Amino acid sequence: MSEYETVKALHASLPPFAPLISVALLPYLALILLSATFTLTFYFSTLPKDTVPFSEFRVASLASILGGFGVVALFCTVGVPV
């Protein structure tokens, strides 16, 4: 039982969780990331089609990553726990 008391005391002494990015900035972050995703998707659709699509792959991957983080930021903004 002493191990439980030790862990309980340690838990009580720890500081509360503080996110690295302020919650007040999430709507703006979501807007920026999703706007960049839209812009890169438009750019991707206008690229000339090559036989080896290295530039297409880079642009599409970046748009996908930005879109994923943008959607998570948007969900956190409206209160959906992700």
Side-chain angles (χ1 to χ4, degrees):
M1 208 48 142
S2 67
E3 184 178 346
Y4 173 75
E5 296 299 328
T6 305
V7 172
K8 186 176 176 183
L10 178 63
H11 177 73
S13 68
L14 291 174
F17 174 76
L20 295 176
I21 299 173
S22 173
V23 177
L25 294 178
L26 285 177
Y28 305 108
L29 182 64
L31 177 69
I32 291 168
L33 291 175
L34 292 175
S35 298
T37 301
F38 176 77
T39 304
L40 286 173
T41 304
F42 177 75
Y43 176 69
F44 172 75
S45 66
T46 60
L47 284 175
K49 305 303 178 229
D50 297 331
T51 56
V52 182
F54 289 122
S55 62
E56 294 175 12
F57 179 73
R58 286 188 315 215
V59 172
S61 297
L62 182 60
S64 177
I65 290 170
L66 291 177
F69 282 113
V71 168
V72 168
L74 184 64
F75 280 176
C76 290
T77 297
V78 297
V80 177
V82 181

